Amino acid sequence: MYNNWKELKAACMDCQKCEMCKTRTNLVFGCGNENAEVLFIGEGPGEQEDIKGEPFVGRSGQLLDKYLDAIGLERNKNMYIANIVKCRPPQNRNPLQSEQDTCINWLREQVRLMQPKIIVCLGRIAAQRIISPDFKVTAQHGDIIERRGTLLMGTFHPAALLRNPNQKPDALSDFLKLRDIIKEVCQKTYE
Ligand code: URA
């Protein structure tokens, strides 16, 4: 357990708990406002994120930014983005269950310090890890689940939307629903 973000980040940046530490260029801790009420969780860094040390800065990040912009969310202002695993899985493969198990404690600590009102899971890996192991994005995207005072939503991963643009209208309606819920339950986000 860490007392503050500075201590947590310093410890995380040195992490050598799994093999991915050997192949990373940069660990991707997360970015945004640490006091935000809305937390987005992706799967893990890709090539661009590994190079820059920031989440969602590649093509899928550019698409994500369009959806965020549509509902008045801005990195570093009124939201935070992190991933299930902090280091890039080689060849962009899915993170192994064992890697997720090892890495998830960093995210747990981020959630504990942040105490977000809403957590949005981007894609299957994050939604199955955070919401439920049998989460089906195509059937359950946009559904709101309440767990211990936090609202959880799963939606499409932007990389999946780049592959299947026909799902973009569904993704947009999830984000619009998210905006309504933020207005209902968050005090600071749209101040
Ligand atoms: N995909 C993710 O899930 N996370 C990132 O940070 C980038 C791409």
Side-chain angles (χ1 to χ4, degrees):
M1 298 241 279
Y2 295 87
N3 293 321
N4 56 54
W5 281 88
K6 200 164 165 239
E7 284 178 18
L8 172 63
K9 185 167 182 183
C12 182
M13 294 306 282
D14 277 343
C15 182
Q16 299 190 5
K17 289 183 185 166
C18 86
E19 290 291 300
M20 291 198 295
C21 72
K22 296 185 183 147
T23 49
R24 74 183 176 220
T25 311
N26 285 295
L27 182 147
V28 180
F29 178 72
C31 79
N33 181 344
E34 293 156 356
N35 300 309
E37 295 165 305
V38 187
L39 168 64
F40 284 79
I41 301 177
E43 176 180 324
E47 187 182 15
Q48 290 306 310
E49 291 77 19
D50 176 67
I51 292 169
K52 299 207 175 111
E54 268 195 48
F56 285 102
V57 288
R59 269 185 78 221
S60 60
Q62 287 164 17
L63 180 58
L64 175 63
D65 283 342
K66 289 189 185 161
Y67 287 89
L68 296 174
D69 191 49
I71 64 163
L73 292 179
E74 229 179 281
R75 298 170 189 230
N76 295 323
K77 186 178 165 214
N78 54 2
M79 56 170 287
Y80 194 92
I81 318 185
N83 282 305
I84 298 286
V85 297
K86 307 287 190 230
C87 296
R88 181 192 182 202
Q91 280 86 45
N92 288 353
R93 61 163 170 73
N94 290 340
L96 305 175
Q97 199 64 36
S98 59
E99 291 163 343
Q100 295 183 37
D101 292 345
T102 305
C103 205
I104 197 83
N105 285 320
W106 296 120
L107 181 62
R108 285 209 184 100
E109 285 292 293
Q110 288 173 305
V111 172
R112 192 178 62 80
L113 291 176
M114 185 181 302
Q115 299 195 283
K117 297 231 161 41
I118 305 174
I119 296 178
V120 182
C121 297
L122 297 168
R124 178 181 65 85
I125 299 276
Q128 291 191 342
R129 187 76 212 195
I130 304 292
I131 302 174
S132 115
D134 56 3
F135 192 94
K136 298 264 184 310
V137 176
T138 42
Q140 291 168 273
H141 69 89
D143 291 357
I144 303 291
I145 291 131
E146 204 249 72
R147 188 181 297 149
R148 284 181 255 115
T150 305
L151 300 180
L152 311 176
M153 177 197 273
T155 187
F156 301 91
H157 193 288
L161 297 173
L162 290 171
R163 286 193 301 273
N164 304 306
N166 58 322
Q167 292 172 324
K168 285 184 179 179
D170 282 345
L172 181 60
S173 66
D174 291 350
F175 275 77
L176 295 175
K177 181 172 179 181
L178 174 63
R179 178 173 64 185
D180 290 342
I181 293 162
I182 292 172
K183 284 182 184 162
E184 255 176 59
V185 306
C186 297
Q187 281 84 49
K188 303 181 293 186
T189 303
Y190 289 141
E191 245 173 15

